[in-house]
Amino acid sequence: MKIVAKKKLWKYLFWLGPFLITVGLTVGLVSEQWGLIPLVFLITGIVISGLGIIWQSYQSNWWNRRSTQAGTNALVATLAVLAILGLINFLGTRYHLRADLTEAQLFTLAPQSRELVRVLPQPVKVWVFDINQNPQDRELLENYQRQSSKFKYEYIDPQARPGLAEKFGVKDYGEVYLESGDKRQLVQTVNENERLSEIRLTSRLQQLTNSTTAKVYLLQGHGERQLSAGKGAISQAVQGLGDKNFTTSPLNLGETSKVPQDAAVVIVAGPKRGLFEGEVKALQEYLNRGGNLLLMIDPNTDPKLNSLLQEWGVRLDNRLAVDVSGESVVGLGPAAPLVTEYGQHPITKDFGNGNSFYPIARPLEITSVPGVQATPLLRTKPYPNSWAESDLQSEKLEFNADKDLKGPLTLGVALTRKQTPKSTSTPQPALTPSPLPSPTTQSKASPTPPASPAPSAPSSQTATESRLVVLGNSDFVTDGLFQQQLNGDVFLNSVTWLSQEDQQPLSIRPKEPKNRRITLTNTQANLLILSSLLVLPLIGFAIAVIIWWKRR
């Protein structure tokens, strides 16, 4: 009787363990302070409960039972899974890992956007004046905010804060504004059919943070590409320049005879007729004084720029670039070379093995010229995938070793040249007039500046750099093709690099999502309904009947 009573006493004593654990958890949760008292209750309760379990198992030979071993294994496995899940959650809160599996990388910021936000010179804030917070727009803004602590955003109800809405001039729900210091700019108006665009937000952010505006002139008068919308026009390219904070204007050198002083870049886009000698000379003088020029010259044209290009070591090949490797991919035939190999240059450094294509392009021949540094930008695939075809009239393109040139072919090149004017000495003020510079030492490219009136030792002008980009095609930048693959990036990055605006990031522009919607006719819709609701179930039922019959 005494042994039985002693066992019951120990049994009741072990129930004290769960009681103390409950007391400790209650004290901690209610007081929200896990100090000494709740910890003592918890530890004591856990120890008593553990001793109780061990004692009970010893008395009943519990550990040797098969069910106990199976249950223990299941418990250990469960605890291991919970520990692994807890570790994964802990690492997930500490380290953020995101994978974007969409084709156009819709949930990942483009490199240009990331670079721009990371180097923000001052804080910027996006104000979204809307009641509803669209998850897609919020995710985009979160992606921007992850790149820099200087980027913030906030949703505002215009009715709840009318003073702030009046400050920005809000007229309707969904208006998105960008603010930096005392500058404010409307990005766009979002609604159910139009979501916040990364392209517009990055473009407005670049305009707002960049205080300088570069002037780009596009040469006209020789059959160049039309600037306004139309067949074969480059209106989308002009709009892209505007989004990057460039101002564009047409330029007719036949009327002005000189490139304006404020020209950051001059673009010659696909001239069909030759330039006058005076116009070519004006472009040469512009380059000689530190200018920047983009030439896009198509095959079967002679713009009369050979004298200018010869100074830079570039020759326009009159043959046609052929690429049979991209015929099935691009769908434009072998006369549209598909380029996936790019030079190590700021214009193309982020392109990787991306695609760009150039319908009806001519190769370029590059030779070394003292003082000129040349970097090929675009190269076609090696022969037999590509070659330069000399017979432009034949419908059947075949390589002829005696007339054609084996690939790889260079379709674009970037060149730089230092312009260092001759140093001149400023004479001391005296009665004797200062000698004029000798005609043999005075550079036509950089005329000697007038002497400074202050007496000084020799002074010299700061060396400037001229930049030239030559592309053997202009079709790639026309409306419709400009937004395909990396075509627009080649053009915009070329102009940005030529403008010598080093603070602007050179990278791949953000892409808009592709429209994947399928438009069905009434007949197609009815056929789809009929096949899904009738044909497919009947096929499944027939297969089931056949299987049942065979196993019967």
Side-chain angles (χ1 to χ4, degrees):
M1 293 292 293
K2 291 183 178 180
I3 296 175
V4 175
K6 188 176 182 180
K7 287 182 178 181
K8 288 185 177 180
L9 179 63
W10 278 105
K11 184 178 180 180
Y12 294 137
L13 182 63
F14 288 140
W15 277 105
L16 185 62
F19 174 74
L20 295 177
I21 293 175
T22 305
V23 171
L25 290 174
T26 304
V27 172
L29 292 174
V30 172
S31 64
E32 296 183 354
Q33 293 182 357
W34 298 92
L36 180 61
I37 295 177
L39 288 178
V40 168
F41 280 113
L42 285 173
I43 295 173
T44 305
I46 292 172
V47 171
I48 294 175
S49 298
L51 292 175
I53 293 173
I54 295 173
W55 171 261
Q56 196 71 21
S57 62
Y58 174 75
Q59 291 293 327
S60 60
N61 200 21
W62 184 67
W63 288 105
N64 294 329
R65 296 178 185 175
R66 182 177 295 179
S67 60
T68 302
Q69 294 176 357
T72 303
N73 292 336
L75 179 62
V76 171
T78 303
L79 293 176
V81 171
L82 292 176
I84 292 173
L85 292 176
L87 181 61
I88 292 174
N89 281 294
F90 172 75
L91 294 176
T93 56
R94 282 291 189 89
Y95 308 101
H96 298 282
L97 179 62
R98 296 164 54 86
D100 189 354
L101 303 180
T102 58
E103 177 187 2
Q105 296 292 288
L106 301 181
F107 303 103
T108 303
L109 292 182
Q112 185 192 49
S113 301
R114 294 199 300 266
E115 292 178 23
L116 185 63
V117 177
R118 286 171 184 170
V119 297
L120 284 175
Q122 57 186 356
V124 298
K125 188 170 183 178
V126 175
W127 299 87
V128 184
F129 291 91
D130 202 352
I131 301 176
N132 302 317
Q133 299 186 19
N134 183 272
Q136 182 179 335
D137 295 348
R138 193 179 183 90
E139 176 68 20
L140 177 62
L141 294 171
E142 288 285 351
N143 284 340
Y144 277 93
Q145 189 168 270
R146 290 188 187 99
Q147 309 303 321
S148 174
S149 59
K150 294 182 179 179
F151 186 95
K152 303 293 183 182
Y153 74 92
E154 185 176 350
Y155 278 84
I156 298 296
D157 181 0
Q159 296 294 336
R161 301 180 64 179
L164 185 62
E166 184 180 356
K167 174 183 175 182
F168 281 86
V170 177
K171 297 180 176 62
D172 196 4
Y173 283 100
E175 292 186 3
V176 181
Y177 284 86
L178 192 63
E179 182 181 34
S180 178
D182 57 350
K183 298 179 181 178
R184 302 181 189 91
Q185 190 171 20
L186 175 65
V187 178
Q188 69 177 105
T189 301
V190 296
N191 50 51
E192 294 181 357
N193 300 321
E194 184 177 359
R195 300 268 45 95
L196 185 60
S197 167
E198 181 186 352
I199 291 180
R200 295 186 183 181
L201 184 55
T202 296
S203 299
R204 300 298 181 267
L205 186 62
Q206 193 170 48
Q207 294 176 11
L208 198 66
T209 56
N210 185 17
S211 58
T212 61
T213 302
K215 191 68 176 288
V216 175
Y217 286 92
L218 295 102
L219 191 65
Q220 298 287 284
H222 317 89
E224 288 87 355
R225 297 288 177 180
Q226 182 179 324
L227 305 185
S228 57
K231 184 178 180 180
I234 57 172
S235 62
Q236 292 178 343
V238 173
Q239 178 61 42
L241 292 174
D243 291 339
K244 288 183 71 67
N245 212 27
F246 291 104
T247 57
T248 58
S249 295
L251 173 64
N252 192 324
L253 287 176
E255 298 175 351
T256 62
S257 72
K258 188 177 182 181
V259 177
Q261 292 291 335
D262 63 345
V265 182
V266 174
I267 299 175
V268 183
K272 293 181 175 60
R273 298 181 294 273
L275 278 68
F276 293 115
E277 183 179 349
E279 294 177 306
V280 177
K281 186 177 180 181
L283 292 177
Q284 289 175 311
E285 292 176 351
Y286 170 66
L287 288 172
N288 290 339
R289 68 173 191 256
N292 308 286
L293 182 63
L294 171 59
L295 299 177
M296 297 184 290
I297 312 299
D298 296 312
N300 293 326
T301 60
D302 183 13
K304 305 297 182 182
L305 292 170
N306 293 336
S307 59
L308 183 151
L309 293 172
Q310 187 176 2
E311 296 179 1
W312 293 77
V314 180
R315 189 183 73 85
L316 300 173
D317 197 314
N318 292 322
R319 289 170 285 199
L320 178 68
V322 174
D323 181 7
V324 296
S325 65
E327 183 174 0
S328 59
V329 179
V330 180
L332 297 177
L338 180 68
V339 173
T340 58
E341 181 181 343
Y342 304 94
Q344 295 298 317
H345 191 273
I347 293 176
T348 54
K349 66 182 178 67
D350 290 327
F351 286 2
N353 60 349
N355 297 323
S356 60
F357 55 94
Y358 305 86
I360 316 298
R362 70 193 307 167
L364 306 175
E365 181 182 326
I366 313 301
T367 57
S368 179
V369 173
V372 176
Q373 181 179 357
T375 304
L377 296 177
L378 314 170
R379 292 180 69 86
T380 64
K381 295 177 177 60
Y383 178 82
N385 289 323
S386 73
W387 69 87
E389 176 65 44
S390 57
D391 188 0
L392 305 183
Q393 305 301 324
S394 176
E395 295 182 0
K396 188 177 182 180
L397 300 175
E398 293 181 342
F399 177 77
N400 298 310
D402 55 336
K403 297 184 296 183
D404 299 337
L405 177 66
K406 291 183 178 181
L409 309 173
T410 300
L411 303 184
V413 63
L415 309 103
T416 59
R417 184 176 68 184
K418 295 291 184 182
Q419 306 290 344
T420 307
K422 299 289 184 179
S423 299
T424 58
S425 298
T426 305
Q428 300 287 343
L431 297 176
T432 306
S434 59
L436 295 174
S438 171
T440 59
T441 61
Q442 187 174 6
S443 170
K444 282 185 179 181
S446 302
T448 306
S452 173
S456 174
S459 63
S460 61
Q461 286 184 336
T462 304
T464 59
E465 182 180 78
S466 297
R467 295 182 177 182
L468 173 67
V469 172
V470 184
L471 304 174
N473 178 257
S474 68
D475 278 299
F476 79 99
V477 80
T478 55
D479 293 353
L481 297 182
F482 176 79
Q483 295 179 334
Q484 298 294 322
Q485 303 296 325
L486 296 176
N487 287 12
D489 301 296
V490 173
F491 173 79
L492 293 177
N493 284 7
S494 297
V495 177
T496 304
W497 177 77
L498 285 169
S499 68
Q500 304 190 31
E501 295 288 339
D502 296 333
Q503 70 272 17
Q504 291 198 35
L506 288 165
S507 183
I508 301 176
R509 296 173 298 120
K511 299 291 189 282
E512 293 284 18
K514 293 183 179 180
N515 185 1
R516 297 293 187 187
R517 289 176 293 183
I518 300 176
T519 304
L520 299 177
T521 62
N522 290 333
T523 303
Q524 292 172 331
N526 294 332
L527 182 62
L528 181 62
I529 294 173
L530 183 66
S531 62
S532 59
L533 297 181
L534 182 61
V535 176
L536 292 179
L538 286 177
I539 292 175
F541 179 74
I543 293 174
V545 170
I546 293 172
I547 294 175
W548 171 80
W549 181 264
K550 287 185 176 182
R551 292 183 177 181
R552 184 174 59 89

